[in-house]
């Protein structure tokens, strides 16, 4: 019986259709660095952790504000007076003619007491809780700024890996051409060696250049895979990553770079100074008076039998209280706490000043390095272009028998040197480039 090939084809198509969605999900493509940033904003672990900390701070702020609201509570109780304690009552209360110092033993109360009540308490004037709520709000702001600081550090790490991948692709093209050139020369020299036209030393030298080119290209491709793993880890994904963007050479002329955005490090120190100032106010509030109002209402049933409410005595009770607390002397602990808060403010002011100076110096250095690396890259690219032209002329003279093999290999080393200088300049420029790009981003607003 002949197999049904049409049925087999249909089954294969069905399997491919079922597998297609999972295959599509298992791969992600990025066409630009902002796309990587947007993906990281949603998936990177450092940002997720930082946002959770923000939520915790907001919850703590709401909790602190909630403490300023009135509190209302209800209560219920059941008491079984197993033994009612007798009380000595002066005899004259019931018999005026009774002698002095004579008492009658009487028992008051009923054995079963049922009580329900409601209590309300409101701190009308409580500076400690008011400043604590204000401090909690500042702490929420600190958590937000810390998230911005986390994004800044994460963006720099992502950009470093991303540009390293782009450069690896660019460098791979260069070294693949080198391998093709050295392989062609090595094959040509091997043929001449077989004919006895070149020495073994010359043949070995040509083979060494080929092996070095193979090793360099292998290292570049291994590094590319390692960088891909690094980017996967930074983005918190196990899907394979593909970069559709290619390296773009910088323009000959570029507009000046300026940093108008406040650096996240300065924002963080400013928020820490605000927190220290708020904590000082909170410490001083320990010296302020507080005023609270309370209300309580209780209703009791006293019965002689368990759950016998028909013959119960009803005993309502309610009262209103106003309490003023004025701290007169609390030892010297409050004074020392205020002193500690004042010193903390001074320390934060010094750290803010240091952060501003450091950021200003880093910005100046970054602009200087950006201009320098950009100019060096342009010159390195020009030198490489000229050296490539020279190498083509050298190859033509070698093919024509005008120059020797040793001279041809020496000139090839000149090309390798120009390529290495270009690669180094490319790497230096890419670092300066992405740092200037990230430095101009607004991290205060996502």
């Amino acid at each position: 019986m002949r197999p049904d090939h049409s049925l087999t084809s249909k089954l294969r198509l069905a399997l491919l259709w079922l597998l297609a969605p999972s295959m599509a999900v298992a791969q992600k493509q990025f066409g630009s660095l902002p796309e990587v940033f947007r993906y990281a904003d949603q998936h990177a672990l450092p940002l997720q952790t930082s946002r959770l900390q923000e939520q915790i701070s907001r919850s703590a702020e709401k909790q602190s504000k909630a403490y300023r609201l009135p509190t209302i509570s209800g209560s219920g109780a059941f008491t079984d007076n197993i033994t009612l304690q007798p009380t000595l009552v002066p005899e004259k209360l019931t018999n005026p003619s009774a002698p002095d110092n004579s008492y009658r033993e009487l028992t008051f109360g009923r054995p079963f007491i049922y009580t329900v009540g409601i209590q309300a308490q409101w701190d009308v004037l409580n500076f400690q809780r008011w400043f604590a709520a204000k401090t909690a709000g500042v702490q929420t702001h600190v958590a937000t700024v810390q998230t911005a600081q986390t994004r800044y550090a994460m963006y720099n790490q992502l950009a470093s890996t991303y540009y390293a991948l782009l450069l690896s692709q660019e460098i791979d093209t260069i070294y693949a051409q080198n391998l093709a050139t050295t392989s062609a020369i090595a094959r040509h020299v091997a043929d001449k060696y077989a004919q006895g036209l070149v020495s073994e030393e010359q043949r070995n030298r040509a083979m060494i250049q080929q092996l070095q080119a193979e090793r360099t290209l292998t290292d570049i491709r291994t590094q590319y895979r390692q960088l891909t793993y690094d980017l996967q880890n930074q983005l918190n994904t196990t899907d394979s990553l593909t970069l559709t963007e290619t390296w773009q050479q910088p323009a000959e002329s570029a507009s000046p770079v300026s940093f108008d955005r406040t650096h996240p490090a300065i924002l963080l120190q400013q928020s820490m100074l605000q927190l220290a100032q708020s904590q000082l106010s909170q410490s001083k509030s320990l010296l302020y008076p507080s005023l609270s109002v309370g209300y309580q209402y209780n209703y009791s049933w006293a019965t002689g039998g368990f759950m016998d409410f028909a013959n119960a005595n009803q005993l309502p009770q309610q009262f209103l209280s106003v309490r003023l607390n004025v701290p007169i002397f609390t030892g010297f602990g409050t004074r020392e706490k205020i002193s500690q808060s004042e010193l903390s403010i001074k320390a934060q002011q010094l750290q803010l000043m240091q952060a501003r100076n450091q950021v200003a110096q880093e910005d100046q250095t970054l602009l200087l390095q950006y201009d320098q690396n950009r100019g060096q890259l342009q010159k390195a690219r020009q030198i490489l272009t000229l050296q490539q032209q020279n190498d083509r002329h050298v190859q033509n003279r070698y093919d024509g028998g005008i120059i020797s093999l040793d001279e041809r290999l020496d000139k090839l080393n000149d090309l390798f040197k120009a390529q290495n200088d270009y690669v180094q300049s490319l790497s230096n420029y890419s670092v300066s480039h992405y740092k200037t790009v990230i430095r101009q981003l607004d991290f205060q607003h996502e």
Side-chain angles (χ1 to χ4, degrees):
M1 182 176 180
R2 299 179 60 186
D4 190 348
H5 294 287
S6 62
L7 179 60
T8 304
S9 300
K10 290 180 180 179
L11 289 175
R12 290 177 179 175
L13 289 175
L15 287 174
L16 289 175
W17 182 82
L18 290 173
L19 291 174
S22 61
M23 294 172 60
V25 172
Q27 185 176 15
K28 288 182 172 59
Q29 293 184 350
F30 296 105
S32 64
L33 184 59
E35 291 183 13
V36 176
F37 288 163
R38 287 192 292 270
Y39 185 87
D41 286 339
Q42 301 299 324
H43 299 87
L45 286 179
L47 268 182
Q48 293 184 41
T49 304
S50 187
R51 289 196 181 98
L52 288 175
Q53 189 60 47
E54 278 190 64
Q55 295 178 12
I56 294 174
S57 298
R58 291 192 184 97
S59 177
E61 181 183 0
K62 293 179 180 178
Q63 179 185 13
S64 182
K65 290 180 179 179
Y67 285 144
R68 298 167 55 190
L69 300 175
T71 59
I72 301 175
S73 60
S75 62
F78 164 72
T79 302
D80 182 1
N81 295 309
I82 299 175
T83 301
L84 295 175
Q85 182 179 7
T87 302
L88 295 177
V89 177
E91 190 73 27
K92 285 189 175 184
L93 290 177
T94 58
N95 185 6
S97 61
D100 295 336
N101 299 324
S102 61
Y103 297 89
R104 177 181 295 184
E105 187 177 292
L106 299 177
T107 301
F108 296 94
R110 310 190 80 176
F112 300 102
I113 307 296
Y114 301 87
T115 303
V116 295
I118 185 171
Q119 301 85 31
Q121 178 76 25
W122 183 25
D123 292 334
V124 180
L125 186 65
N126 192 319
F127 291 98
Q128 296 180 26
R129 291 188 174 181
W130 190 86
F131 282 108
K134 185 178 180 181
T135 301
V138 178
Q139 288 175 335
T140 300
H141 177 66
V142 171
T144 303
V145 177
Q146 287 175 336
T147 299
Q149 178 79 346
T150 300
R151 289 181 67 211
Y152 179 80
M154 187 187 69
Y155 278 14
N156 275 277
Q157 186 180 23
L158 288 170
S160 176
T161 306
Y162 182 83
Y163 275 97
L165 285 168
L166 292 184
L167 292 182
S168 296
Q169 294 176 346
E170 179 76 8
I171 297 170
D172 186 283
T173 303
I174 295 175
Y175 289 132
Q177 294 175 353
N178 288 348
L179 180 58
T181 301
T182 56
S183 297
I185 294 176
R187 287 193 300 269
H188 181 68
V189 173
D191 293 339
K192 285 190 173 183
Y193 177 75
Q195 300 172 11
L197 299 177
V198 297
S199 65
E200 183 179 2
E201 179 185 357
Q202 291 175 320
R203 185 204 64 176
N204 292 344
R205 186 179 178 189
M207 292 180 62
I208 289 173
Q209 286 188 335
Q210 178 188 6
L211 293 173
Q212 289 175 339
E214 289 179 356
R215 183 184 63 182
T216 303
L217 185 60
T218 301
D219 291 343
I220 289 297
R221 291 176 177 174
T222 301
Q223 180 184 9
Y224 184 86
R225 290 195 296 271
Q226 292 176 348
L227 290 170
T228 303
Y229 300 150
D230 291 341
L231 188 60
Q232 286 177 325
N233 182 55
Q234 293 164 13
L235 295 176
N236 190 29
T237 181
T238 57
D239 297 338
S240 61
L241 305 180
T242 303
L243 305 186
T244 59
E245 184 183 12
T246 57
W247 171 258
Q248 301 295 327
Q249 296 290 349
E252 293 295 330
S253 59
S255 57
V257 177
S258 60
F259 303 138
D260 299 328
R261 306 290 187 183
T262 305
H263 197 284
I266 296 179
L267 294 175
L268 181 59
Q269 291 302 325
Q270 288 175 343
S271 63
M272 294 301 294
L273 177 59
Q274 294 174 2
L275 180 60
Q277 292 170 342
S278 180
Q279 289 173 341
L280 173 61
S281 299
Q282 187 176 354
S283 299
K284 290 182 177 179
S285 68
L286 296 174
L287 302 175
Y288 302 158
S290 62
L291 178 66
S292 62
V293 177
Y295 171 78
Q296 185 171 346
Y297 177 81
N298 296 323
Y299 200 94
S300 300
W301 293 266
T303 69
F306 182 72
M307 301 297 291
D308 182 14
F309 293 99
N311 299 315
N313 297 103
Q314 300 179 7
L315 308 173
Q317 178 195 35
Q318 62 177 330
F319 62 85
L320 177 68
S321 64
V322 178
R323 181 179 180 181
L324 176 65
N325 183 20
V326 180
I328 298 176
F329 179 73
T330 58
F332 299 101
T334 301
R335 186 181 67 180
E336 293 301 323
K337 188 172 184 179
I338 293 174
S339 177
Q340 293 171 12
S341 298
E342 291 173 345
L343 293 175
S344 178
I345 289 178
K346 293 181 180 179
Q348 291 298 334
Q349 289 173 341
L350 293 175
Q351 292 182 17
L352 176 58
M353 183 184 303
Q354 181 183 10
R356 285 173 174 168
N357 294 335
Q358 183 177 352
V359 168
Q361 293 176 357
E362 289 178 353
D363 288 346
Q364 293 176 356
T365 302
L366 180 57
L367 291 175
L368 180 64
Q369 291 177 345
Y370 175 78
D371 292 336
Q372 179 184 10
N373 293 334
R374 184 173 171 276
Q376 289 181 348
L377 176 60
Q378 292 176 350
K379 290 182 173 59
R381 186 170 66 240
Q382 294 173 358
I383 293 172
L384 178 59
T385 301
L386 295 174
Q387 191 61 51
Q388 288 172 340
Q389 294 175 358
N390 290 342
D391 192 72
R392 286 194 292 270
H393 296 317
V394 170
Q395 181 65 35
N396 292 334
R397 290 200 299 271
Y398 173 72
D399 294 338
I402 300 175
I403 62 175
S404 64
L405 175 62
D406 289 335
E407 186 176 355
R408 173 68 188 102
L409 296 178
D410 290 338
K411 296 298 182 181
L412 189 59
N413 286 329
D414 293 339
L415 175 63
F416 293 162
K417 183 178 182 301
Q419 289 174 345
N420 292 332
D421 291 341
Y422 171 73
V423 168
Q424 184 61 48
S425 299
L426 198 63
S427 176
N428 294 338
Y429 170 77
S430 67
V431 173
S432 300
H433 174 67
Y434 77 71
K435 284 186 176 181
T436 55
V437 171
I438 294 175
R439 181 63 182 86
Q440 297 175 79
L441 297 178
D442 182 11
F443 289 93
Q444 289 183 275
H445 308 90
E446 294 193 26

